[in-house]
Amino acid sequence: MVFLRQLLAFTLSSFLLTWLLCLAVEANYSSSKIGQGYRLISIEETPDGAVVGILQVKEKNNIYGVDIPLLSFYVKHETESRLRVHITDAKKQRWEVPYNLLPREQPPPLKLNIKRLKKNSLSVSEYSSSELVFSYTSDPFSFAVKRKSNGDTLFDSNYSNESDSFRPLVFKDQYLEISTKLPKNASLYGLGENTQPNGMKLHPNDPYTLYTTDISAINLNSDLYGSHPVYMDLRNYGGKPYAHGVLLLNSNGMDVFYKGNSLTYKIIGGILDFYFFAGPTPLNVVDQYTSFIGRPAPMPYWAFGFHQCRWGYHNLSVIEDVVENYKKAKIPLDVIWNDDDHMDGHKDFTVNPVNYPLPKLLNFLDRIHSIGMKYIVINDPGIAVNTKYGVYQRGMANDVFIKYEGEPFMAMVWPGAVYFPDFLNPKTVSWWADEIRRFHELVPIDGLWIDMNEVSNFCTGKCTIPKERFCPLQGEKLPNSTCCLDCTNITSTRWDDPPYKINASGNEIPIGYKTIATSAVHYNGVLEYDAHSLFGFSEAIATHKALSELQGKRPFVLSRSTYVGSGKYAAHWTGDNKGTWEDLRYTISTILNFGIFGMPMVGADICGFYPSFYPTLRYPISTEELCNRWIEVGAFYPFSRDHSSVISPRQELYQWESVAESARNALGMRYKLLPYFYTINYEAHISGAPIARPLFFSFPNYIECYGLSTQFLLGSSLMISPVLEPGKTEVKALFPPGTWYSLFDLTQVIVSKDGNYVTLDAPLHVVNVHLYQNTILPMQQGGMVSKDARMTPFSLIVTFPAGANEGEAKGNLFLDDDEMPEMKVGNGYSTYIDFHASVKEGTVKIWSQVQEGKFVLDKGLVIDTINVLGLNYGSGTLVSIEIDGEPSIGVSYVKVSTSEHKYLFKQGDEEKKTVMVGIKGLNIPVGKRFALTWKMGS
């Protein structure tokens, strides 16, 4: 008994001691012992108007490594709306995102002489442009960025007392920490890529880890394929909205902790390189951001058609049947894709001679190319280690692979043992272009899909090819991602086992797990530790360059892994999702986030990549209803593709008649809207404006839509309100203030004076799409292939506020030769048109202004129909009409119709009779200026 008492006392005392030690450690961390910050010891202004200074650490410690004693900081207003704050080691060059990958200004080299430091030679502590004001405090050093127009603090790293939920600036070799205070009314968006179950608005205390990782999109709140350390902050003061953006340009792994009233970065390397974008509208922020990181790539017209893909099209006859079955079902299809089924032994740039015999494949491609369809194949970065494989031979001869201990780093993916190209090496970029050229000469592909470029590796550590067994495993019915190389863990270096563990894969998995060892080396001695998240970005640049050089055509590249600036070179899809209703809902948030990231050409696997019971191999009972609803959303994704896994049941849209009907309906509308999609693609290219947008982009003063992630806009005026739950035949949709017209039935109207939720009918084959007031929407008649659809007659839909005595509307249209690499007005291969309309005292005017009209005039395209919505009924008759000043009412080929609007919801003014007036048979050349006028009267 005494022994038990002694044991209990010892246990309790040990527990108490351990608990006290834990408290002490926690107190040590929370009371800022990890870092007492820095003090400013020198500051001055440079001849070009920048500010440079020196910071000295206040007190060193060894938690997460030793503090860097002296830091330099550089502050410059690079434009009137962009401010840069750059902080790094004052004595030693540190890793930064390479300036050749992401071109930008370089800070001047610091010529440090401690004995000659100028003590606070700058007399003021504020430094301003027209809108952004930078200020600092000296001890402990902190900085703030304010908006000049209203005095609002946008970023504030000042640690003022122990009650603050963050610490002063910490800067060690492998651990950097900085925080900012935030007001309660700030709505934040960004910090991706991750699947956010709470919607696109950042949710306090959710984890945000940035480190490119091959874990599927079904993992919530985890670091996924891309790294985008940028956020948009939207605030509203008294009904007036203000948005700004913050980018931390750093490619190292990081955790970002958002607590609602503060945001803290914890980064495992590199530097602090902040860029602040003044806004003040969400569109301004994205414009300023993409002006810096690179404008989104122009997409070819056909890319906005529908795409079909599956991992598991095991032979050519299968994809031939798929194309034929889409045709029989009368479902539009522009692009057929191959996953690695076409390859010989999963090797890049090869064709399987048995399942995809080259003569038959080329014959198939001739047939689909003749009708305007396209063909795209996958390409994984791992190059098979095979001495009989030409791609490997030439890669070895050119020394293009990432190295470990002086030899190419060995990993494993589908073909077995592989080496990874080092796209930071100029020789690799040239070798890659040559391999793409060789393959294109063999198979005339129309684009490339670069996958698994996080980088994905089935093994971990240092690996060798086993001598006593075959790798990859043979005889498996399904592809197997089990590591079959002989591997040993690599944990001996501080790069493979850093002192601070980011929340990798959602549970602090080692950062070299199932990827390239972080102590591996790139060109010029660059560590994988620093460059890891840039692999997909650098591969996209090399691939875009290679495709551009092939025939001088506009390239199409789809990349899974992305980084800041990837949108300049590639489109993106949201990765390996699952056939569930939750996954359907999550796709909207991810797609909207990528618009903010400067990657507007984005979509998700329609109907889900994995079956709903993944990771088991039990098949779901039926995904029919889900596929119905998914294509009704996916038809309006910027990038619209059905894609499924080899372990999933077949889910092409013709597999169920009900889904085929929904597809004909939704994709039928998409193909009519192709000129609109293409025009907002042009807007994205010249201004960064997302194709798919959150509602707050068009209604930033309407706070109720700040957290909305179940509806979205295409462009500024077209709203999609999908069904996202099973068994529903109606949807509750938010309508911001104004008049909205149903695109599928132009006579149906919703008038939401102050903004309202409205319950809409949504039977199985119906998706609700609404067009906002004051808009002119160009459409065509659709077709089975975009090549044919774009040659059909145009119609214009003109929307005025319902019943308004006076109103204006506008829209635009961009058309060009989409094979041309550049997308711009003035090259002789494009036409840009502004459409205008007004109504006043019963007179309606519609006119156009045309730039470079010859391109479209040579195509012979015409405007056949104009529908004008929301007009006062008056006496209900149209008494006169003129086109370019000439009366046309008596001309037999011009047909006029009047239809009364039906109000599904009306708030505010008394009920008025309003009508839609349709004029058909106009035959107005699209590239010619016109003016059409009519009067309503008795």
Side-chain angles (χ1 to χ4, degrees):
M1 182 66 74
V2 173
F3 171 75
L4 289 175
R5 286 176 180 167
Q6 289 175 336
L7 179 61
L8 180 60
F10 175 77
T11 303
L12 287 172
S13 63
S14 298
F15 172 78
L16 181 61
L17 179 61
T18 303
W19 180 66
L20 289 172
L21 285 171
C22 288
L23 285 180
V25 170
E26 179 62 27
N28 185 43
Y29 278 56
S30 63
S31 65
S32 304
K33 296 301 181 185
I34 188 174
Q36 294 287 357
Y38 286 75
R39 64 171 62 90
L40 179 69
I41 61 173
S42 172
I43 187 167
E44 60 183 272
E45 191 167 1
T46 66
D48 66 347
V51 172
V52 295
I54 300 295
L55 308 176
Q56 185 178 59
V57 68
K58 289 168 66 71
E59 181 180 324
K60 293 183 181 180
N61 66 49
N62 294 319
I63 302 173
Y64 300 145
V66 178
D67 298 89
I68 293 176
L70 289 175
L71 304 177
S72 69
F73 81 89
Y74 166 83
V75 182
K76 187 176 182 182
H77 291 283
E78 295 187 335
T79 71
E80 288 299 307
S81 59
R82 183 175 81 231
L83 169 69
R84 184 183 190 182
V85 179
H86 180 280
I87 303 175
T88 187
D89 190 330
K91 290 186 172 182
K92 182 181 176 182
Q93 181 74 34
R94 286 181 63 81
W95 166 256
E96 299 184 48
V97 174
Y99 284 80
N100 64 321
L101 285 188
L102 192 67
R104 59 200 189 279
E105 291 184 39
Q106 285 192 260
L110 184 69
K111 298 175 182 178
L112 186 64
N113 187 329
I114 300 294
K115 294 180 180 179
R116 299 180 59 187
L117 287 176
K118 298 180 180 180
K119 301 290 184 181
N120 296 325
S121 61
L122 195 65
S123 59
V124 296
S125 62
E126 287 193 351
Y127 170 54
S128 66
S129 67
S130 61
E131 180 59 348
L132 295 177
V133 180
F134 172 86
S135 63
Y136 65 88
T137 56
S138 297
D139 190 5
F141 174 79
S142 68
F143 72 89
V145 178
K146 294 183 179 181
R147 188 184 297 281
K148 183 184 286 188
S149 60
N150 67 354
D152 192 21
T153 299
L154 310 184
F155 192 96
D156 183 4
S157 70
N158 181 40
Y159 170 83
S160 55
N161 54 60
E162 296 291 329
S163 65
D164 284 339
S165 59
F166 57 83
R167 293 179 276 260
L169 171 66
V170 179
F171 205 118
K172 301 167 187 282
D173 188 29
Q174 289 183 264
Y175 183 78
L176 287 65
E177 182 178 326
I178 191 169
S179 302
T180 178
K181 299 173 183 176
L182 291 169
K184 291 182 179 179
N185 70 331
S187 296
L188 270 59
Y189 311 88
L191 296 179
E193 177 180 8
N194 57 54
T195 300
Q196 299 172 204
N198 294 304
M200 71 172 299
K201 183 177 174 181
L202 298 192
H203 192 261
N205 301 315
D206 274 357
Y208 297 95
T209 298
L210 283 71
Y211 189 74
T212 62
T213 307
D214 177 14
I215 57 171
S216 68
I218 66 177
N219 293 276
L220 307 181
N221 290 324
S222 296
D223 45 315
L224 299 181
Y225 314 104
S227 174
H228 294 269
V230 62
Y231 68 85
M232 179 185 291
D233 183 334
L234 177 59
R235 305 176 188 181
N236 194 295
Y237 295 101
K240 189 167 184 179
Y242 294 89
H244 68 273
V246 179
L247 165 68
L248 173 57
L249 189 60
N250 182 302
S251 63
N252 290 81
M254 69 180 77
D255 289 329
V256 186
F257 295 90
Y258 172 52
K259 295 180 179 288
N261 62 353
S262 69
L263 186 139
T264 298
Y265 299 89
K266 298 184 178 183
I267 315 139
I268 61 173
I271 66 168
L272 298 176
D273 197 2
F274 282 102
Y275 291 83
F276 299 91
F277 305 92
T281 70
L283 276 174
N284 291 152
V285 172
V286 179
D287 185 2
Q288 294 153 11
Y289 180 59
T290 56
S291 174
F292 170 62
I293 67 167
R295 298 297 195 192
M299 294 292 153
Y301 200 93
W302 54 261
F304 292 93
F306 184 67
H307 304 242
Q308 178 61 51
C309 183
R310 176 177 171 82
W311 180 24
Y313 289 151
H314 294 304
N315 55 60
L316 178 61
S317 64
V318 178
I319 62 169
E320 289 178 316
D321 287 345
V322 169
V323 171
E324 183 61 26
N325 285 330
Y326 267 96
K327 181 180 177 182
K328 287 180 181 178
K330 293 183 169 54
I331 301 171
L333 179 65
D334 257 77
V335 190
I336 187 73
W337 294 57
N338 258 134
D339 207 300
D340 69 358
D341 303 288
H342 72 285
M343 295 180 183
D344 182 12
H346 307 285
K347 298 191 297 292
D348 285 341
F349 307 120
T350 64
V351 177
N352 186 307
V354 176
N355 295 335
Y356 281 82
L358 188 58
K360 291 185 177 180
L361 175 60
L362 294 177
N363 179 266
F364 168 71
L365 294 183
D366 283 343
R367 283 184 278 126
I368 67 169
H369 282 153
S370 69
I371 62 171
M373 285 186 63
K374 307 295 180 180
Y375 177 61
I376 294 176
V377 299
I378 200 169
N379 188 289
D380 293 340
I383 301 301
V385 178
N386 185 329
T387 55
K388 297 180 180 179
Y389 174 35
V391 180
Y392 168 81
Q393 295 169 351
R394 291 184 288 272
M396 291 296 291
N398 284 281
D399 192 22
V400 301
F401 298 115
I402 295 169
K403 291 191 169 60
Y404 181 81
E405 295 181 340
E407 298 294 330
F409 175 81
M410 180 170 286
M412 178 192 163
V413 283
W414 302 117
V418 299
Y419 295 154
F420 291 120
D422 176 11
F423 291 104
L424 300 184
N425 185 341
K427 286 198 302 183
T428 306
V429 175
S430 300
W431 162 81
W432 188 250
D434 183 59
E435 296 303 337
I436 290 175
R437 177 192 60 78
R438 289 169 182 268
F439 184 67
H440 189 270
E441 289 175 354
L442 187 71
V443 181
I445 55 171
D446 299 291
L448 269 177
W449 169 20
I450 51 177
D451 191 19
M452 300 184 74
N453 48 356
E454 292 72 33
V455 166
S456 180
N457 179 3
F458 299 161
C459 301
T460 300
K462 183 178 181 179
C463 302
T464 57
I465 299 174
K467 296 180 179 179
E468 297 180 358
R469 66 180 185 278
F470 193 85
C471 182
L473 303 176
Q474 298 294 296
E476 299 287 332
K477 292 183 179 179
L478 295 172
N480 195 316
S481 59
T482 302
C483 178
C484 58
L485 300 177
D486 288 336
C487 303
T488 56
N489 284 335
I490 303 173
T491 57
S492 58
T493 76
R494 61 192 180 102
W495 311 116
D496 299 294
D497 187 23
Y500 175 78
K501 315 301 182 203
I502 62 170
N503 193 34
S505 301
N507 53 7
E508 297 187 9
I509 281 176
I511 56 175
Y513 180 74
K514 290 200 170 182
T515 186
I516 298 171
T518 46
S519 54
V521 179
H522 292 254
Y523 178 70
N524 269 353
V526 171
L527 285 170
E528 171 69 11
Y529 181 87
D530 294 314
H532 172 84
S533 290
L534 298 177
F535 190 97
F537 178 39
S538 60
E539 185 191 15
I541 295 173
T543 306
H544 185 277
K545 182 176 186 292
L547 289 175
S548 298
E549 292 171 349
L550 276 176
Q551 294 176 310
K553 293 183 178 181
R554 188 177 303 173
F556 179 84
V557 181
L558 183 74
S559 180
R560 191 169 75 175
S561 185
T562 61
Y563 184 71
V564 174
S566 286
K568 184 178 179 181
Y569 307 97
H572 176 64
W573 91 108
T574 64
D576 297 347
N577 58 10
K578 189 165 57 170
T580 71
W581 292 92
E582 291 80 11
D583 284 74
L584 167 59
R585 188 174 72 250
Y586 302 151
T587 65
I588 296 176
S589 294
T590 308
I591 286 169
L592 297 181
N593 267 329
F594 269 88
I596 293 174
F597 298 153
M599 296 199 72
M601 190 60 166
V602 58
D605 287 348
I606 293 169
C607 298
F609 179 69
Y610 290 125
S612 62
F613 292 140
Y614 177 83
T616 69
L617 298 186
R618 291 171 52 215
Y619 287 167
I621 297 171
S622 173
T623 57
E624 184 173 352
E625 183 190 2
L626 176 64
C627 262
N628 270 279
R629 294 308 191 185
W630 209 318
I631 186 55
E632 290 169 3
V633 184
F636 300 97
Y637 292 158
F639 171 61
S640 183
R641 183 181 72 161
D642 182 311
H643 180 217
S644 59
S645 164
V646 67
I647 64 172
S648 299
R650 294 287 291 270
Q651 61 186 42
E652 293 84 4
L653 301 180
Y654 54 77
Q655 296 289 344
W656 307 270
E657 177 49 38
S658 71
V659 177
E661 183 178 344
S662 293
R664 285 188 289 268
N665 189 42
L667 288 174
M669 181 58 75
R670 180 187 181 92
Y671 274 63
K672 293 176 183 177
L673 288 169
L674 286 178
Y676 181 66
F677 272 101
Y678 196 65
T679 299
I680 52 181
N681 167 46
Y682 170 70
E683 292 175 1
H685 178 57
I686 62 171
S687 72
I691 296 172
R693 307 175 190 176
L695 269 63
F696 66 75
F697 265 65
S698 289
F699 304 94
N701 58 340
Y702 185 51
I703 297 174
E704 286 76 2
C705 68
Y706 284 14
L708 188 65
S709 301
T710 53
Q711 297 167 247
F712 61 94
L713 294 170
L714 290 175
S716 61
S717 305
L718 200 62
M719 184 169 72
I720 318 300
S721 305
V723 173
L724 302 173
E725 298 175 78
K728 301 291 186 181
T729 57
E730 57 186 25
V731 61
K732 188 177 181 182
L734 180 64
F735 285 82
T739 302
W740 297 85
Y741 299 90
S742 169
L743 195 62
F744 283 93
D745 183 351
L746 297 176
T747 66
Q748 293 188 359
V749 188
I750 289 172
V751 178
S752 174
K753 184 178 180 182
D754 302 318
N756 288 91
Y757 276 96
V758 179
T759 299
L760 306 170
D761 287 336
L764 189 60
H765 305 302
V766 170
V767 57
N768 281 280
V769 181
H770 288 84
L771 184 62
Y772 193 54
Q773 65 188 35
N774 307 322
T775 300
I776 301 178
L777 177 69
M779 299 175 66
Q780 287 178 281
Q781 294 181 0
M784 293 297 101
V785 180
S786 64
K787 179 183 177 182
D788 296 336
R790 71 182 303 191
M791 298 308 297
T792 61
F794 277 83
S795 63
L796 301 180
I797 301 174
V798 182
T799 62
F800 292 119
N805 293 320
E806 295 185 13
E808 294 183 348
K810 60 183 180 179
N812 45 48
L813 175 65
F814 177 84
L815 295 169
D816 72 348
D817 178 354
D818 70 322
E819 296 287 287
M820 298 292 290
E822 291 186 312
M823 189 182 209
K824 64 180 184 180
V825 178
N827 59 4
Y829 298 94
S830 62
T831 296
Y832 186 84
I833 303 169
D834 285 303
F835 295 109
H836 301 272
S838 67
V839 59
K840 185 175 183 180
E841 298 176 352
T843 298
V844 177
K845 295 181 180 179
I846 305 165
W847 69 98
S848 69
Q849 296 172 311
V850 180
Q851 298 179 56
E852 305 289 328
K854 184 177 184 303
F855 171 76
V856 172
L857 285 173
D858 289 347
K859 302 291 182 183
L861 296 171
V862 298
I863 299 170
D864 175 76
T865 303
I866 297 178
N867 290 306
V868 183
L869 283 56
L871 296 172
N872 270 326
Y873 183 70
S875 58
T877 58
L878 187 151
V879 296
S880 65
I881 181 171
E882 294 181 352
I883 301 177
D884 297 329
E886 297 295 327
S888 300
I889 194 68
V891 179
S892 60
Y893 58 78
V894 175
K895 306 295 182 184
V896 179
S897 61
T898 304
S899 304
E900 187 174 338
H901 285 305
K902 301 183 289 289
Y903 286 87
L904 302 184
F905 178 87
K906 186 171 175 64
Q907 178 193 41
D909 298 334
E910 70 280 358
E911 186 104 2
K912 293 181 181 178
K913 273 191 176 183
T914 58
V915 296
M916 173 182 75
V917 173
I919 306 174
K920 186 174 177 58
L922 292 167
N923 206 39
I924 299 171
V926 174
K928 178 178 177 295
R929 291 188 179 190
F930 74 89
L932 185 150
T933 306
W934 77 76
K935 291 184 178 181
M936 303 286 288
S938 57

